[in-house]
Amino acid sequence: MSRKSNLRHELIQCLRAQDRRGESKFDAKQEAKAAGGKYEQVTGIYSTSTFNTYSRSVADFAEYVVERDRYCRSAEDARQYIDDYHAHLMDKGYSAWTVRTRVMGVLRAYGLRARDLVRPLPARRTADITRTDRGKEYTYKSSERRSHAERIRRFVQATGCRKGELMRLRPEDIRKGSDGYYEVYRRGKGGIKGWRPTVKALQDAIDDMLSYKNQNPASMSMDKNNGEKRLFSRAEYDRINVHAYRGDYAKALYAEYCSEGRGSGVMYYCRGARRGEVYDRGVLSLVSEALAHHRVDVVVAHYLIW
């Protein structure tokens, strides 16, 4: 086995020691809060996608180290190159998001934090974003597939479901609320679940989807673990820009709540490149809850200005 393979293997084993996949991060947070009386950062890797991303990061780090020091054989010997690796990524012109992801993967393997670096990680600023998936929607050749993609697009705009929530959605998870409008039971990230509101102006999009599913039961899938019927199959939404349409959902809900007079009068003022933009903090909290988030700044930066 090559030196690079040895080093990479050892670093991935360090990540495996922190592997908490299959456990609930939400439950771990609640237990930590109960034990400490205040929020304590939960350690461990609970997501498969995070584990895979960090594994790629340490593999890239191992390659960088061995190319510069062919006698470096262990993770402990490679520790001295973390700051050099950080500088190397910055010099190559990678975005702040890429640099932070790769360096944090290495830091996690060593049990370190960002404050242990010689130079701080680059700040992520909305104004620096140069890529967006808007306008790059996959074009289906079949008119029937294009029509169904449009149907799913409008459904997500009406319900705000993530891809993972679409995957878990059952026919009984959609119902009419006490106000006569649809609400959706969404099972989201971190074990967060509950009934969420839909956009009142897009109720016809939900009607259209339910009608299509009733007429085409073969388009539904079956959960392999418990045999429950699922409303969607992965192939239906895999190439659809779901996050962008969740942004449309957030904008529509914000406008809807404002028109209903549900504002608090307490304002949220944007900073940086968005200085001058103002939102009602109370309405933002309602939209944040509907999106299954907990911070109003996330709603503004990643949904309302999308």
Side-chain angles (χ1 to χ4, degrees):
M1 186 180 289
S2 68
R3 293 184 179 89
K4 180 174 67 175
S5 297
N6 279 326
L7 178 56
R8 180 176 59 197
H9 176 73
E10 186 176 348
L11 290 171
I12 290 178
Q13 288 302 109
C14 292
L15 293 176
R16 290 192 185 282
Q18 306 171 58
D19 191 353
R20 302 291 184 274
R21 288 177 291 175
E23 301 177 23
S24 170
K25 187 175 184 178
F26 179 80
D27 290 343
K29 285 182 177 180
Q30 299 307 309
E31 291 173 4
K33 288 179 182 178
K38 61 181 181 178
Y39 176 77
E40 298 178 12
Q41 184 174 3
V42 174
T43 58
I45 302 172
Y46 292 81
S47 164
T48 296
S49 62
T50 300
F51 184 86
N52 291 340
T53 298
Y54 284 174
S55 295
R56 289 192 293 270
S57 297
V58 298
D60 185 68
F61 173 68
E63 183 174 352
Y64 169 82
V65 171
V66 172
E67 284 179 355
R68 282 151 185 78
D69 184 355
R70 57 191 297 265
Y71 296 105
C72 186
R73 296 170 180 263
S74 69
E76 189 57 40
D77 292 339
R79 181 190 290 257
Q80 61 185 303
Y81 293 103
I82 295 177
D83 285 299
D84 291 341
Y85 178 64
H86 178 199
H88 163 73
L89 295 175
M90 294 292 292
D91 292 341
K92 292 203 70 171
Y94 288 118
S95 71
W97 283 264
T98 300
V99 172
R100 292 177 73 96
T101 298
R102 293 194 181 183
V103 174
M104 288 306 297
V106 177
L107 292 177
R108 176 59 68 88
Y110 283 97
L112 301 174
R113 295 190 178 183
R115 62 169 176 259
D116 297 318
L117 294 170
V118 171
R119 61 190 290 189
L121 289 170
R124 293 170 292 189
R125 298 184 177 88
T126 305
D128 295 334
I129 297 176
T130 57
R131 181 189 65 83
T132 175
D133 291 333
R134 280 288 198 189
K136 296 182 180 179
E137 199 71 70
Y138 182 80
T139 302
Y140 292 99
K141 296 180 180 180
S142 163
S143 60
E144 183 178 344
R145 292 295 300 277
R146 287 197 300 271
S147 175
H148 189 53
E150 174 67 12
R151 188 180 294 112
I152 294 177
R153 179 186 68 80
R154 296 190 70 243
F155 181 83
V156 176
Q157 288 176 326
T159 63
C161 290
R162 295 183 175 95
K163 281 190 175 182
E165 293 165 348
L166 287 174
M167 181 177 67
R168 302 182 189 98
L169 199 62
R170 304 170 301 178
E172 58 266 32
D173 290 335
I174 302 175
R175 71 182 186 188
K176 287 286 184 73
S178 57
D179 58 359
Y181 294 99
Y182 283 113
E183 56 185 11
V184 178
Y185 191 81
R186 298 192 341 232
R187 297 167 180 80
K189 297 192 296 185
I192 299 174
K193 52 190 176 182
W195 291 99
R196 308 293 177 189
T198 59
V199 176
K200 294 177 180 178
L202 292 174
Q203 298 296 292
D204 63 308
I206 303 174
D207 285 328
D208 185 31
M209 181 59 74
L210 293 178
S211 175
Y212 173 83
K213 290 297 179 178
N214 287 332
Q215 295 173 21
N216 300 274
S219 66
M220 290 190 264
S221 61
M222 196 73 71
D223 190 296
K224 295 180 180 179
N225 296 321
N226 54 29
E228 287 183 334
K229 186 178 292 185
R230 300 300 189 198
L231 204 59
F232 296 98
S233 64
R234 182 181 294 274
E236 288 183 88
Y237 56 80
D238 201 40
R239 291 181 170 179
I240 292 177
N241 189 358
V242 170
H243 180 75
Y245 301 133
R246 270 171 56 82
D248 294 337
Y249 167 80
K251 294 185 188 78
L253 269 191
Y254 184 87
E256 198 171 85
Y257 289 157
C258 287
S259 67
E260 293 173 353
R262 302 176 69 175
S264 64
V266 179
M267 309 312 291
Y268 173 90
Y269 297 91
C270 296
R271 296 178 294 178
R274 294 285 171 173
R275 183 181 297 274
E277 295 185 21
V278 182
Y279 297 90
D280 186 280
R281 189 176 286 273
V283 176
L284 286 178
S285 296
L286 294 174
V287 176
S288 177
E289 183 180 354
L291 288 165
H293 278 294
H294 303 286
R295 290 167 44 192
V296 296
D297 59 316
V298 170
V299 176
V300 174
H302 296 282
Y303 293 93
L304 296 184
I305 64 174
W306 177 268

